[in-house]
Amino acid sequence: MLFVCLGNICRSPTAEGVMAHLLHEKGLEGQIEIDSAGTGGWHVGSAPDTRATGAAECRGVTLEGAARQVTADDFEGFDLLLAMDRQNAADLHELAPDDQARRKVRLLREFDPEAVAAGELDVPDPYYGGADGFEDVLDLVTRACQGLLAELRPNLAR
Ligand code: 4NP
């Protein structure tokens, strides 16, 4: 699965780190390939934002990797492209080579029943805001990743 946001320095590396942490906790590491990318290219090569890294570290979650831009090839390499917000999903739909690829695009928060019930499916962009925004991202992506993992679990070996 590929987590996708705009810059690949705040939300999607956070979602990737949270999912890696959950997989490790459950002894499921290696069972699912996870990565993250951005629809934009401005931060390519950059490490995750230190505000995101710091907030995650306080919860025992390590953020890794260097930002990269999503490409059409990612629709072949991954079964699921998880957009952080509806703009990211729209941009992925534009990039998708065909309808089969387009069907791989989902909003991450679709996997959080509370978010679905509230009709709040975006993970808000924390980049221009304060520290609260980064805590919010961690809360939202953790709930959604837990829901996603619960849905996938019956298909995993252990
Ligand atoms: P992200 O946050 O999409 O969660 O990585 C952003 C990072 C950088 C910018 C926007 C959002 N930017 O405009 O540079």
Side-chain angles (χ1 to χ4, degrees), residues 2-157:
L2 182 69
F3 297 98
V4 179
C5 63
L6 178 60
N8 192 211
I9 55 170
C10 300
R11 291 167 293 174
S12 60
T14 299
E16 181 188 351
V18 165
M19 185 55 97
H21 185 78
L22 291 174
L23 290 170
H24 178 74
E25 268 183 353
K26 296 176 195 309
L28 295 170
E29 60 265 80
Q31 297 241 3
I32 298 176
E33 189 189 343
I34 55 174
D35 194 8
S36 64
T39 57
W42 312 282
H43 296 280
V44 167
S46 297
D49 189 301
T50 53
R51 296 169 295 173
T53 311
E57 209 59 58
C58 289
R59 301 191 191 196
V61 173
T62 305
L63 306 191
E64 293 177 330
R68 72 173 181 87
Q69 192 166 12
V70 65
T71 72
D73 287 346
D74 286 315
F75 290 93
E76 287 189 27
F78 294 95
D79 293 333
L80 203 49
L81 285 86
L82 295 155
M84 296 300 124
D85 65 33
R86 281 165 290 191
Q87 184 59 55
N88 305 147
D91 291 339
L92 287 171
H93 281 144
E94 285 278 308
L95 182 65
D98 54 33
D99 282 344
Q100 191 190 345
R102 229 160 266 130
R103 283 193 290 273
K104 295 183 173 185
V105 178
R106 303 285 296 273
L107 287 165
L108 177 63
R109 293 189 74 196
E110 282 177 47
F111 296 93
D112 173 2
E114 274 181 51
V116 173
E120 286 171 10
L121 294 175
D122 289 343
V123 179
D125 185 349
Y127 188 67
Y128 293 105
D132 283 4
F134 289 86
E135 297 299 333
D136 198 31
V137 169
L138 277 161
D139 291 340
L140 302 181
V141 306
T142 299
R143 285 209 297 272
C145 284
Q146 284 166 338
L148 174 56
L149 197 50
E151 200 161 302
L152 295 177
R153 193 120 192 216
N155 301 319
L156 301 177

